[in-house]
Amino acid sequence: MLSAAAHIHSSDDARRLAKRRLPWMVFDYIDGSAGGEAGARRNRAAFEALTLEPRILRDVSSRNLSADVFGTTAQRPFGIAPMGMCNLSAPGADLMLARLAAEFSVPHGVSTVASTPLERIIEVAGGHAWFQLYFSGDGAGAFKLATRAKVAGYKTLVMTVDVPEVGRRPRELRHGFKMPFSIGPRQFVDFALHPRWSLSQLAAGKPDMANFDMDGFDFDRTESRARATWDTLSRLRDMWPGNLVVKGVLNVDDALALKGAGVDAIQVSSHGSRQLESAPAPIDALPLIRSAVGKDFPVFFDTGLRSGEDVLKAVRAGADFTFFGRSLLFAIAAGGEEGLRNLWDVFSEELSSALAQTGRVSVK
Ligand SMILES: Cc1cc2nc3c(=O)[nH]c(=O)nc-3n(C[C@H](O)[C@H](O)[C@H](O)COP(=O)(O)O)c2cc1C
C-alpha cells in the first residue's frame, strides 16, 4: 500500500490529507485566517488572476532553481516561513524543516514561539536558520531573545511587525485553542477522534513554546505587542550586527521608511492572511513596493503561495525570494518527513516546468 506521503501531488493534496489526520483544533489553528477569511480569498483570487505567458522554441533544457539571498546561494528561490508551534502538526516537525533547510541551503524561519529551542534548530539547519522576533509587552523580553539568538549564531533576524494585537481567527477561537496547551472536554473528544495524532503526541510529550523554559524568557501569546515603534526598530538595528529583515509590510511609505531606517530587507506579507482581514492582497502590493524601493533593494514575499507557479508569479511581481508557510505543515501532518520532502519536490518540479514553459532557465 502506498504511504500517505505518496499521495501528495499538490499543496491541496497535503491539506486534504492533513485535514483527515489532525484534530479539528490543530487543523483550524494552521488553516484558519483572520475574521471571515475574505483577506485569504482576495489574495488567492489575485494569484489566480495573474498569468504567465508561454514562450516557445528557446533552449530551456538546462534549468537552475537557485537564488541568491544575502550573499549565499539557496538551492531554491523559496524557503520556510517562521511558524509557531510547528510540532503540533507532528512530533519533530521543527527538525524536519531544519533538515530540509540544511539540505537545500534555504532559510528556515524560526519563530519566537517555536516548539523546539532556537539553539537546537540552527544546529540541525546547519546555520540556515533565521530568527523571527516578536516584540511584546514592554519589549525587554524581545531584546533578551535577540541577544540569545545572536549568541546561538543566528546571522539574520526577522522582526515581525504585523501583529500589534493578535489577529482574531474565529475557527481557532471556537476550539478554545491556546498556548500553553490545555485540554478540556471539548479537546478531549477532538483528540479521541484523531487517535493517530494523539498517540504520537502522547509518546513525544506535549508540544510547548520551547524558547521560554528558562529564566527571564516569558511569553504570553495573547499579550499586546502594540508598543513597538520606529524607535524600537532603531534600537534593534543598533544591537543587531547581522541582517535585519522586517516582515509584514504592505504599504509603500512604510517600505520606503524601512529602507531609510537601514534594514537589510523587507518581507511583503499579510502573515498568511491571519491578521487584518481587510488588508490588500500581498501579491497586489508587491509590485508597488518593488517599484518604490528600486530594483536593488532586497524584497521577500510570503502569503498564499500554493505552488511552484505561484513562486514564479511572485518573482515576476518583484520578489527576490519567497517563503511557504502552512502548506509545509500540512505535508508533515499528512505524511511526516516523507510528506514534507514530497511536497518540496512537487514545488520544485512545478517551478522547473513553469520556467521551461515560459521560456526561462532560471529565476534570476
Ligand atoms: C500555523 C502558523 C503559525 C504562524 N506563526 C508565525 C509566527 O510565529 N511568526 C511569524 O512571523 N509568522 C507566523 N506565521 C505566518 C508565516 O510566517 C507566513 O507569513 C504565512 O504562513 C505565509 O502564508 P501561507 O501560510 O499562506 O504560505 C504563522 C503562520 C501559520 C500558518
Side-chain angles (χ1 to χ4, degrees), residues 81-84 111 132 134 160 247 271-272 302-304 306 325-326:
M83 287 177 285
S111 166
Q132 177 269 318
Y134 276 134
T160 299
K247 172 175 180 278
H271 211 103
D302 75 60
T303 296
R306 297 290 176 264
R326 41 168 82 73

Side-chain angles (χ1 to χ4, degrees), residues 29-32 43 80-86 110-114 132-134 158-163 169 225 247 267 269-274 302-306 323-327 329:
Y29 161 64
I30 298 172
D31 195 53
N43 188 48
I80 301 157
M83 287 177 285
M85 296 305 300
C86 291
V110 177
S111 166
T112 289
V113 286
Q132 177 269 318
L133 188 69
Y134 276 134
V158 180
M159 185 195 187
T160 299
V161 291
D162 55 8
V163 190
R169 298 190 283 271
R225 306 172 198 182
K247 172 175 180 278
Q267 189 149 326
S269 162
S270 69
H271 211 103
S273 309
R274 290 161 78 81
D302 75 60
T303 296
L305 295 168
R306 297 290 176 264
F323 292 86
F324 283 101
R326 41 168 82 73
S327 302
L329 296 188

